[in-house]
Amino acid sequence: VALYKEQGSLPRLPVPDLYVTCMKYLRSVKPLLSDEQFAKTSDAVIEFALKDGPRLQQRLHKRAKSLPDSSWLIDWWNDIAYLTDPEPVVFFVSYFYSFKEIAPLLRPPVSPHRAQCAVAAALVVEALSFRDMIMDESLTPDRAGGRATCSSQYAFLFNSCRIPAYPPQDRVATYPLRCNPNIIVLRKRRIVSLDVA
């Protein structure tokens, strides 16, 4: 079981230092503000750092300790980045594929009028192969700087969807990988459910 074998040894997402964060914020807004606006903003940040900031910082540390197997940020990140934004996730958040002049790369060679189907079929085969590695957990974790990265999001790569809700936010539904052996194919205004099990 390669995919999740290093999960327990991953470093935790640290809670950033309050004062370092305040200084980074001031550095980031300075080019955008007039001297007068920056002075007012600096006063507000200093007041925050001395009054409400320490109490909120303690709450962040408490939250981090209460989630030993997860990140203190993950739920907020998912809510803001994925579930409260009404824009289409596929276009603005998810990965996508773009192909240019791919017909000459196909083996065996394919005529240009059949290239779209050949590329789609090759993409489906490779995506399902990748899905199989997630299902049997044989996929090797991604690495950055020689260290494994978190693999927990692979559980949402296939068989998950965002279900619209109003208000205040959508919700995520995830279905068992083995219970969904079909893909949907659109071709010449026809929709076909294709069993790929």
Side-chain angles (χ1 to χ4, degrees), residues 31 36-37 46 50-51 62 65 86 108 110 129 134 148 154 166 168 172 182-183 187:
E36 181 182 333
Q37 291 170 323
I46 290 168
L50 295 174
K51 289 187 177 179
K62 185 176 178 182
K65 287 180 185 174
V110 175
S129 174
I134 293 171
Y154 281 114
Y166 182 85
V172 174
N182 293 47
I183 62 168
R187 173 100 165 109

Side-chain angles (χ1 to χ4, degrees), residues 1-12 68-69 137-152:
V1 180
L3 184 57
Y4 302 109
K5 73 177 180 180
E6 298 184 58
Q7 285 295 109
S9 64
L10 296 176
R12 300 283 316 252
D69 297 326
E137 300 180 7
S138 64
L139 183 67
T140 304
D142 291 331
R143 300 192 93 68
R147 297 181 72 165
T149 60
C150 182
S151 298
S152 64

Side-chain angles (χ1 to χ4, degrees), residues 114-130:
R114 293 186 180 255
Q116 184 177 11
C117 287
V119 168
L123 180 59
V124 167
V125 167
E126 293 304 318
L128 291 173
S129 174
F130 191 76

